[in-house]
Amino acid sequence: IAIIAILIGLLLPAVQKVREAAARMQTANNLKQQGLAFHSHHDTFLHFPAGYESNAASPLRDPVTLDGPPGWAWGVAILPFLEQENLARQLRRDLPCWDPLNAAAVATELKVFLNPAAPGPTGPMTVRAAGGSVLATFGRTHFVGNVGHDEPWGYTAVDHTPFANGMLFRNSRVRIADVTDGTSNTVMLGEHSVVSDKTWVGVVPGAEVCPREPGRFPFTECDAPATLVLAHSGPAASEPGVVHPPNAPTAHVCQMYSPFVAGAHILLTDGSVRFVPTSINALTWAALCSRNGGEVFDANY
């Protein structure tokens, strides 16, 4: 019995490594499929999808962030290019993403948006207001869009373009021609799990995104509705000089974070997938997250 116990003890680490390798491969493959879908969207509409769609003139808008209906995010925009045409047809995109008529469809779990190694809850996530009331139940994702350095949701402004130098932001229509840093040097998506819940569906005005384990991530607080689908790298105007690479110990709910200790997967705008080490230079990470900064950095990171 003792010998068997010793052998099991020796085998467990090897089994865990095999499982992690399989999860990393699946995560990279899921991101690759999303990358192809982004480019199919660009080929069809001559621009990449918006981070999320919002009408700031609507009476249903959030008076602080000016987020309004319909709220549909980049994940919905690429559904037809992920062989999810049937689901896309079920969505009433003429209505807000949180409308009861969309409730059944938007709670759908799609494996292409998930990292099998991500810990925590499974199934649909609950979108809540600051007071805790339930606003919607959405399908979960473990990937977020790159909005760039700053956090546009921190400004009371209708147009987020002046504050977003990434690929995806509110009502964005970024084209390949706008990515002057090069599509192979600019992040489109990255991992986010562990810290907080994200969704592929959209943004609900008045929502609040909070850390799942506040004691484990003491540097973050609850954040704006846009962080349901987007993340930024820093530096932000509110945090000059501070950059948050993936898995940074100072991670907020609005930064990228992976369950893999060694680093995180990112989807570059050219459609390729890279594994960014946790030790990546902060300035290199910031350079990767801008589409038009003209930064010079080591592409091997």
Side-chain angles (χ1 to χ4, degrees):
I1 293 173
I3 292 172
I4 292 173
I6 292 170
L7 289 174
I8 291 174
L10 292 173
L11 284 172
L12 279 176
V15 171
Q16 290 173 348
K17 286 183 179 179
V18 170
R19 286 178 176 172
E20 180 174 327
R24 283 181 58 171
M25 186 179 299
Q26 185 62 56
T27 301
N29 182 61
N30 287 347
L31 271 177
K32 183 66 177 178
Q33 290 184 59
Q34 292 174 63
L36 293 172
F38 269 94
H39 277 269
S40 295
H41 184 285
H42 192 286
D43 290 345
T44 303
F45 299 104
L46 305 182
H47 61 77
F48 292 113
Y52 62 100
E53 302 283 353
S54 174
N55 177 12
S58 169
L60 299 178
R61 71 182 183 278
D62 184 322
V64 177
T65 64
L66 300 184
D67 288 327
W72 299 108
W74 57 266
V76 170
I78 64 174
L79 284 178
F81 309 107
L82 288 171
E83 299 183 353
Q84 293 293 333
E85 296 91 345
N86 289 337
L87 177 58
R89 282 194 290 268
Q90 293 176 44
L91 300 175
R92 285 286 306 273
R93 293 184 64 178
D94 57 317
L95 299 174
C97 60
W98 61 89
D99 190 279
L101 290 177
N102 283 311
V106 297
T108 304
E109 180 176 275
L110 297 172
K111 290 185 178 180
V112 71
F113 288 132
L114 299 177
N115 175 347
T122 58
M125 60 162 289
T126 302
V127 181
R128 297 183 184 275
S133 60
V134 176
L135 300 177
T137 300
F138 286 164
R140 187 184 303 274
T141 185
H142 296 135
F143 306 107
V144 287
N146 165 43
V147 76
H149 293 172
D150 210 341
E151 38 192 356
W153 46 84
Y155 300 87
T156 304
V158 173
D159 185 6
H160 279 184
T161 306
F163 314 106
N165 60 354
M167 293 300 300
L168 298 167
F169 48 95
R170 186 169 74 190
N171 296 330
S172 57
R173 294 289 187 274
V174 178
R175 303 164 301 158
I176 288 177
D178 300 322
V179 190
T180 56
D181 285 353
T183 56
S184 61
N185 296 323
T186 307
V187 177
M188 178 73 80
L189 303 178
E191 291 188 67
H192 182 100
S193 58
V194 184
V195 184
S196 65
D197 295 326
K198 306 300 182 194
T199 178
W200 57 265
V201 178
V203 171
V204 183
E208 188 175 61
V209 181
C210 297
R212 290 208 300 258
E213 299 178 68
R216 181 179 174 185
F217 298 98
F219 294 96
T220 187
E221 299 176 346
C222 298
D223 213 328
T227 61
L228 284 165
V229 300
L230 300 176
H232 78 108
S233 66
S238 59
E239 293 181 309
V242 178
V243 177
H244 301 270
N247 296 9
T250 56
H252 297 177
V253 298
C254 55
Q255 269 95 42
M256 296 183 186
Y257 203 96
S258 169
F260 303 119
V261 177
H265 295 89
I266 59 170
L267 170 68
L268 294 170
T269 302
D270 66 356
S272 63
V273 177
R274 299 287 293 269
F275 190 76
V276 174
T278 303
S279 59
I280 186 172
N281 180 275
L283 295 180
T284 299
W285 176 245
L288 281 168
C289 289
S290 73
R291 68 177 185 274
N292 55 4
E295 303 96 341
V296 177
F297 61 93
D298 183 357
N300 293 316
Y301 40 89

